[in-house]
Protein backbone atom coordinates (compact mmCIF):
# COMPACT_ATOMS: atom_id res chain seq x y z
CA UNK A 1 0.00 0.00 0.00
CA UNK A 2 1.18 3.51 -0.75
CA UNK A 3 2.51 5.58 2.11
CA UNK A 4 -0.16 7.95 3.41
CA UNK A 5 1.75 11.21 3.11
CA UNK A 6 -0.77 13.19 5.10
CA UNK A 7 -0.35 10.83 8.05
CA UNK A 8 3.43 11.18 8.04
CA UNK A 9 3.24 14.96 7.67
CA UNK A 10 0.94 15.12 10.68
CA UNK A 11 3.23 12.75 12.57
CA UNK A 12 6.23 15.04 12.01
CA UNK A 13 4.29 18.09 13.19
CA UNK A 14 2.79 16.29 16.20
CA UNK A 15 6.21 15.03 17.32
CA UNK A 16 8.09 18.25 16.63
CA UNK A 17 8.39 19.20 20.29
CA UNK A 18 8.62 15.72 21.75
CA UNK A 19 11.88 15.64 23.73
CA UNK A 20 12.46 19.20 22.47
CA UNK A 21 10.18 21.03 24.87
CA UNK A 22 12.68 23.88 25.06
CA UNK A 23 11.40 25.15 21.69
CA UNK A 24 7.95 25.74 23.17
CA UNK A 25 9.50 28.32 25.49
CA UNK A 26 9.69 30.99 22.83
CA UNK A 27 7.52 33.46 20.95
CA UNK A 28 5.62 31.53 18.27
CA UNK A 29 5.91 33.29 14.90
CA UNK A 30 4.18 30.57 12.83
CA UNK A 31 1.37 32.98 11.89
CA UNK A 32 3.89 35.33 10.28
CA UNK A 33 5.38 32.73 7.92
CA UNK A 34 4.72 33.63 4.27
CA UNK A 35 4.65 30.95 1.55
CA UNK A 36 5.99 28.47 4.10
CA UNK A 37 9.52 29.82 4.08
CA UNK A 38 9.84 33.52 5.02
CA UNK A 39 8.92 35.27 8.28
CA UNK A 40 7.44 38.74 7.86
CA UNK A 41 6.57 40.58 11.10
CA UNK A 42 5.25 44.17 11.10
CA UNK A 43 6.68 46.03 14.12
CA UNK A 44 5.55 49.25 15.74
CA UNK A 45 7.90 52.21 15.98
CA UNK A 46 9.06 53.82 19.20
CA UNK A 47 6.43 55.18 21.60
CA UNK A 48 5.75 58.89 21.79
CA UNK A 49 7.86 60.93 24.20
CA UNK A 50 6.23 61.70 27.55
CA UNK A 51 6.88 65.04 29.33
CA UNK A 52 5.85 66.26 32.76
CA UNK A 53 4.09 69.54 33.60
CA UNK A 54 4.26 71.25 30.21
CA UNK A 55 4.35 75.05 30.34
CA UNK A 56 3.83 75.96 26.69
CA UNK A 57 1.56 74.90 23.82
CA UNK A 58 1.21 73.74 21.12
CA UNK A 59 3.68 70.89 21.13
CA UNK A 60 5.11 69.55 17.88
CA UNK A 61 3.23 66.50 16.60
CA UNK A 62 5.30 63.55 15.47
CA UNK A 63 4.46 60.58 13.29
CA UNK A 64 5.30 57.04 14.30
CA UNK A 65 7.59 55.26 11.84
CA UNK A 66 6.72 51.56 11.70
CA UNK A 67 8.99 48.98 10.14
CA UNK A 68 9.15 45.25 9.58
CA UNK A 69 11.28 42.23 10.40
CA UNK A 70 11.86 39.75 7.59
CA UNK A 71 14.05 36.66 7.55
CA UNK A 72 14.17 33.34 5.75
CA UNK A 73 13.78 30.15 7.76
CA UNK A 74 15.96 27.11 7.22
CA UNK A 75 14.95 24.13 5.11
CA UNK A 76 15.95 20.67 6.31
CA UNK A 77 15.96 17.77 3.86
CA UNK A 78 15.73 14.12 4.84
CA UNK A 79 17.50 12.62 1.83
CA UNK A 80 15.76 9.92 -0.24
CA UNK A 81 15.54 6.51 1.38
CA UNK A 82 15.05 3.20 -0.45
CA UNK A 83 13.29 0.19 1.06
CA UNK A 84 13.87 -2.85 -1.15
CA UNK A 85 10.77 -4.77 -2.13
CA UNK A 86 12.36 -8.03 -1.03
CA UNK A 87 12.92 -6.68 2.49
CA UNK A 88 9.20 -6.17 2.94
CA UNK A 89 8.62 -9.88 2.46
CA UNK A 90 11.64 -11.37 4.20
CA UNK A 91 11.76 -9.28 7.39
CA UNK A 92 9.60 -10.05 10.40
CA UNK A 93 8.86 -6.38 11.02
CA UNK A 94 7.59 -3.56 8.86
CA UNK A 95 10.90 -2.12 7.69
CA UNK A 96 9.23 0.71 5.85
CA UNK A 97 7.44 1.82 8.99
CA UNK A 98 10.64 1.57 11.00
CA UNK A 99 12.80 3.45 8.49
CA UNK A 100 10.35 6.31 8.01
CA UNK A 101 9.94 6.69 11.76
CA UNK A 102 13.68 6.86 12.41
CA UNK A 103 14.26 9.31 9.56
CA UNK A 104 11.44 11.48 10.90
CA UNK A 105 13.06 11.64 14.34
CA UNK A 106 16.42 12.52 12.82
CA UNK A 107 14.85 15.27 10.69
CA UNK A 108 13.23 16.84 13.75
CA UNK A 109 16.38 16.56 15.87
CA UNK A 110 18.50 18.19 13.18
CA UNK A 111 16.02 21.04 12.76
CA UNK A 112 16.01 21.64 16.52
CA UNK A 113 19.82 21.76 16.54
CA UNK A 114 19.55 24.46 13.91
CA UNK A 115 17.02 26.40 15.96
CA UNK A 116 19.42 26.49 18.92
CA UNK A 117 22.12 27.84 16.62
CA UNK A 118 19.78 30.67 15.54
CA UNK A 119 19.26 31.60 19.18
CA UNK A 120 22.93 31.53 20.14
CA UNK A 121 24.65 34.79 21.13
CA UNK A 122 27.33 35.63 18.61
CA UNK A 123 25.47 34.20 15.62
CA UNK A 124 25.89 36.32 12.47
CA UNK A 125 22.18 37.04 11.87
CA UNK A 126 22.32 39.02 15.11
CA UNK A 127 25.20 41.20 13.94
CA UNK A 128 25.91 44.03 16.33
CA UNK A 129 24.35 42.22 19.26
CA UNK A 130 26.47 41.80 22.39
CA UNK A 131 28.17 38.52 23.04
CA UNK A 132 26.34 37.56 26.21
CA UNK A 133 28.80 34.89 27.28
CA UNK A 134 29.25 33.53 30.80
CA UNK A 135 32.42 31.47 31.27
CA UNK A 136 32.33 28.44 33.56
CA UNK A 137 34.34 28.71 36.78
CA UNK A 138 34.53 25.18 38.22
CA UNK A 139 37.53 22.94 38.67
CA UNK A 140 39.56 21.87 35.66
CA UNK A 141 38.48 18.58 34.10
CA UNK A 142 39.57 16.66 31.03
CA UNK A 143 36.83 14.04 31.34
CA UNK A 144 33.68 15.60 29.91
CA UNK A 145 35.06 17.22 26.77
CA UNK A 146 32.69 18.05 23.92
CA UNK A 147 34.03 15.19 21.75
CA UNK A 148 37.03 12.93 21.22
CA UNK A 149 38.81 15.59 19.13
CA UNK A 150 38.99 18.14 21.95
CA UNK A 151 42.13 18.14 24.07
CA UNK A 152 43.28 19.72 27.32
CA UNK A 153 40.93 20.60 30.17
CA UNK A 154 37.83 22.76 30.64
CA UNK A 155 36.47 24.40 33.76
CA UNK A 156 33.36 22.56 34.92
CA UNK A 157 29.85 24.00 34.93
CA UNK A 158 28.59 24.94 38.41
CA UNK A 159 25.61 26.66 39.99
CA UNK A 160 27.49 29.96 39.76
CA UNK A 161 26.66 30.16 36.04
CA UNK A 162 22.93 29.97 36.83
CA UNK A 163 23.32 32.61 39.54
CA UNK A 164 25.05 34.95 37.10
CA UNK A 165 22.27 34.53 34.54
CA UNK A 166 19.57 35.06 37.17
CA UNK A 167 21.20 38.36 38.18
CA UNK A 168 21.44 39.49 34.56
CA UNK A 169 17.73 38.81 33.97
CA UNK A 170 16.70 40.48 37.23
CA UNK A 171 18.24 43.69 35.91
CA UNK A 172 15.95 43.72 32.84
CA UNK A 173 12.23 44.34 32.40
CA UNK A 174 11.68 41.17 30.36
CA UNK A 175 8.55 39.13 30.97
CA UNK A 176 8.40 35.34 30.79
CA UNK A 177 10.01 32.26 32.23
CA UNK A 178 13.76 32.09 32.67
CA UNK A 179 15.20 28.88 31.21
CA UNK A 180 18.50 27.04 31.07
CA UNK A 181 19.06 24.25 28.55
CA UNK A 182 22.08 22.32 29.82
CA UNK A 183 24.16 19.71 28.07
CA UNK A 184 24.07 16.31 29.76
CA UNK A 185 27.60 16.82 31.11
CA UNK A 186 26.83 20.33 32.33
CA UNK A 187 23.71 19.15 34.11
CA UNK A 188 25.57 16.49 36.10
CA UNK A 189 28.36 18.93 36.93
CA UNK A 190 25.78 21.51 38.02
CA UNK A 191 23.90 19.02 40.20
CA UNK A 192 27.08 17.94 41.94
CA UNK A 193 27.83 21.58 42.78
CA UNK A 194 24.58 21.89 44.77
CA UNK A 195 24.36 21.40 48.51
CA UNK A 196 22.19 18.57 49.82
CA UNK A 197 19.41 21.01 50.68
CA UNK A 198 19.62 22.61 47.24
CA UNK A 199 19.41 19.20 45.58
CA UNK A 200 16.20 18.43 47.47
CA UNK A 201 14.63 21.77 46.58
CA UNK A 202 15.75 21.40 42.98
CA UNK A 203 14.11 18.01 42.52
CA UNK A 204 10.88 19.03 44.26
CA UNK A 205 9.89 21.37 41.43
CA UNK A 206 10.59 19.00 38.52
CA UNK A 207 7.93 18.96 35.79
CA UNK A 208 8.94 16.18 33.41
CA UNK A 209 5.83 16.67 31.27
CA UNK A 210 7.24 20.03 30.23
CA UNK A 211 10.82 18.78 30.14
CA UNK A 212 11.78 20.63 33.34
CA UNK A 213 14.07 18.53 35.54
CA UNK A 214 14.30 21.13 38.29
CA UNK A 215 14.46 24.83 39.16
CA UNK A 216 17.30 26.85 40.65
CA UNK A 217 17.32 30.59 41.45
CA UNK A 218 13.96 30.86 39.68
CA UNK A 219 15.39 29.37 36.46
CA UNK A 220 13.75 26.28 34.94
CA UNK A 221 16.41 23.70 34.10
CA UNK A 222 16.06 21.52 31.00
CA UNK A 223 18.59 19.03 29.62
CA UNK A 224 19.69 17.86 26.18
CA UNK A 225 22.52 15.57 25.12
CA UNK A 226 24.25 18.53 23.46
CA UNK A 227 23.32 22.19 22.99
CA UNK A 228 25.92 24.46 21.36
CA UNK A 229 29.59 24.51 20.39
CA UNK A 230 31.83 27.58 20.69
CA UNK A 231 35.32 28.27 19.42
CA UNK A 232 37.85 31.04 20.07
CA UNK A 233 40.81 31.82 22.28
CA UNK A 234 39.12 34.62 24.25
CA UNK A 235 35.85 36.52 24.54
CA UNK A 236 36.83 38.90 21.74
CA UNK A 237 37.18 36.08 19.21
CA UNK A 238 34.76 33.54 20.62
CA UNK A 239 31.84 32.60 18.35
CA UNK A 240 29.28 29.87 18.02
CA UNK A 241 30.12 27.08 15.56
CA UNK A 242 27.61 25.98 12.94
CA UNK A 243 27.91 22.21 13.11
CA UNK A 244 25.51 21.90 10.15
CA UNK A 245 27.83 23.79 7.82
CA UNK A 246 29.18 21.51 5.10
CA UNK A 247 32.71 22.66 5.94
CA UNK A 248 32.40 21.98 9.68
CA UNK A 249 35.17 20.02 11.36
CA UNK A 250 35.76 19.73 15.13
CA UNK A 251 38.79 21.47 16.60
CA UNK A 252 40.94 20.56 19.59
CA UNK A 253 39.99 23.76 21.45
CA UNK A 254 36.21 23.52 20.95
CA UNK A 255 34.08 24.18 24.00
CA UNK A 256 30.63 22.91 24.91
CA UNK A 257 28.02 25.52 25.80
CA UNK A 258 24.60 25.61 27.46
CA UNK A 259 21.94 28.18 26.59
CA UNK A 260 20.06 30.54 28.93
CA UNK A 261 17.04 32.60 27.82
CA UNK A 262 13.73 34.20 28.72
CA UNK A 263 10.66 33.03 26.77
CA UNK A 264 9.91 36.44 25.30
CA UNK A 265 13.51 36.98 24.16
CA UNK A 266 13.58 34.30 21.45
CA UNK A 267 11.36 33.30 18.56
CA UNK A 268 10.59 30.16 16.58
CA UNK A 269 8.80 29.81 13.24
CA UNK A 270 7.66 26.63 11.51
CA UNK A 271 7.02 26.60 7.77
CA UNK A 272 6.16 23.81 5.35
CA UNK A 273 6.41 20.12 6.18
CA UNK A 274 6.39 17.85 3.13
CA UNK A 275 6.68 14.10 2.62
CA UNK A 276 7.48 12.67 -0.82
CA UNK A 277 6.61 9.06 -1.61
CA UNK A 278 7.31 6.92 -4.66
CA UNK A 279 6.18 3.34 -3.97
CA UNK A 280 7.17 0.52 -6.29
CA UNK A 281 9.92 2.39 -8.14
CA UNK A 282 11.16 0.17 -10.96
CA UNK A 283 14.65 1.69 -11.00
CA UNK A 284 15.09 1.03 -7.28
CA UNK A 285 13.24 -2.31 -6.98
CA UNK A 286 11.30 -0.95 -4.03
CA UNK A 287 9.88 2.16 -2.40
CA UNK A 288 11.61 5.55 -2.26
CA UNK A 289 10.59 8.35 0.07
CA UNK A 290 11.99 11.59 1.45
CA UNK A 291 10.84 14.57 3.50
CA UNK A 292 11.56 18.19 4.21
CA UNK A 293 10.59 20.72 6.85
CA UNK A 294 11.20 24.41 7.37
CA UNK A 295 12.04 25.70 10.83
CA UNK A 296 13.80 28.85 11.93
CA UNK A 297 14.00 31.50 14.59
CA UNK A 298 15.83 34.52 15.92
CA UNK A 299 16.77 36.44 19.03
CA UNK A 300 14.13 39.08 19.79
CA UNK A 301 15.70 40.67 22.88
CA UNK A 302 19.47 40.39 23.24
CA UNK A 303 19.37 41.16 26.96
CA UNK A 304 17.36 37.97 27.55
CA UNK A 305 19.69 35.46 25.89
CA UNK A 306 22.96 34.26 27.38
CA UNK A 307 25.24 31.30 26.90
CA UNK A 308 27.49 29.50 29.38
CA UNK A 309 30.68 28.47 27.63
CA UNK A 310 33.37 26.26 29.15
CA UNK A 311 36.46 28.23 30.03
CA UNK A 312 39.77 26.63 29.12
CA UNK A 313 41.58 24.97 31.99
CA UNK A 314 45.04 25.97 33.13
Amino acid sequence: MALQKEIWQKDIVDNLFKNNEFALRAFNADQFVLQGKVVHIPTAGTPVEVKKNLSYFPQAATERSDNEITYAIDTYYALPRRVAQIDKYELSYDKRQSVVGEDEKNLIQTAMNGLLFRWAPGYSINAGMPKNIILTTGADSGVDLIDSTATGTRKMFTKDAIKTFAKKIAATDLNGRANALLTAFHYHQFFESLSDAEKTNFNNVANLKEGVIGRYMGVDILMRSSVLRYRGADLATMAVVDEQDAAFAPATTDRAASLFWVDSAVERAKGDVEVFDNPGEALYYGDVFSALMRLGGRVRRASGVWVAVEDLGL
Side-chain angles (χ1 to χ4, degrees), residues 160-182:
D160 290 341
I162 306 291
K163 289 181 179 179
T164 300
F165 169 64
K167 291 177 182 178
K168 299 289 186 183
I169 295 304
T172 71
D173 58 358
L174 293 171
N175 296 319
R177 295 169 296 188
N179 312 284
L181 182 63
L182 308 186

Side-chain angles (χ1 to χ4, degrees), residues 273-294:
V273 176
E274 297 284 349
V275 173
F276 306 92
D277 178 40
N278 297 100
E281 278 287 297
L283 292 175
Y284 293 95
Y285 299 93
D287 302 338
V288 179
F289 60 89
S290 61
L292 69 80
M293 69 176 299
R294 291 188 171 100

Side-chain angles (χ1 to χ4, degrees), residues 14 128 181 185 252 268 302:
D14 289 348
L181 182 63
F185 288 154
T252 58
R268 72 174 192 275

Side-chain angles (χ1 to χ4, degrees), residues 109-153:
Q109 192 75 355
T110 302
M112 288 298 172
N113 291 342
L115 179 61
L116 286 170
F117 176 73
R118 298 302 186 199
W119 290 356
Y123 167 56
S124 60
I125 195 173
N126 305 314
M129 289 177 55
K131 290 183 178 179
N132 294 341
I133 296 176
I134 299 169
L135 294 176
T136 56
T137 57
D140 293 355
S141 173
V143 178
D144 298 334
L145 299 178
I146 189 169
D147 57 34
S148 59
T149 302
T151 59
T153 61

